[in-house]
């Protein structure tokens, strides 16, 4: 896809913005100073994104992922 008038600004889809906002909320809940990639994965499981359903089909569930994330922190 292309944008007619390019200004150099980065644009996110609504879905991407929701994911980033949810990841930010998760990082605030954990009192993190920044958004980490593992929290982004947790947010993907919560969001109604297509990748979320793929993760669930593969058996990746929030509880297991959150446990793994907490082990490496």
């Amino acid at each position: 896809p292309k944008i007619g008038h390019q200004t150099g600004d980065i644009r996110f889809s609504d879905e991407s913005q929701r994911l980033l906002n949810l990841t930010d909320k998760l990082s605030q809940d954990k009192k993190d100073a920044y958004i980490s990639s593992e929290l982004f994965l947790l947010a993907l499981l919560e969001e109604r994104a297509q990748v979320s359903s793929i993760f669930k089909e593969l058996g990746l569930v929030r509880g297991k992922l959150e446990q793994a994330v907490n082990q490496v922190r």
Side-chain angles (χ1 to χ4, degrees):
K2 295 186 180 195
I3 298 174
H5 180 74
Q6 297 180 359
T7 61
D9 294 335
I10 297 173
R11 299 179 191 268
F12 288 100
S13 67
D14 290 341
E15 183 178 349
S16 296
Q17 288 178 344
R18 281 192 307 273
L19 279 170
L20 287 173
N21 287 335
L22 182 54
T23 306
D24 183 48
K25 182 183 179 319
L26 291 172
S27 70
Q28 289 175 18
D29 291 346
K30 294 195 175 288
K31 308 223 184 307
D32 290 352
Y34 58 89
I35 292 175
S36 61
S37 55
E38 62 269 16
L39 294 182
F40 187 77
L41 287 174
L42 284 170
L44 280 172
L45 283 172
E46 288 187 21
E47 183 61 32
R48 294 176 306 226
Q50 184 177 5
V51 71
S52 165
S53 60
I54 293 170
F55 282 172
K56 289 175 184 171
E57 285 176 21
L58 295 172
L60 185 57
V61 293
R62 182 181 167 84
K64 287 182 182 179
L65 180 59
E66 195 162 25
Q67 186 178 34
V69 165
N70 290 335
Q71 286 178 352
V72 297
R73 288 182 149 249

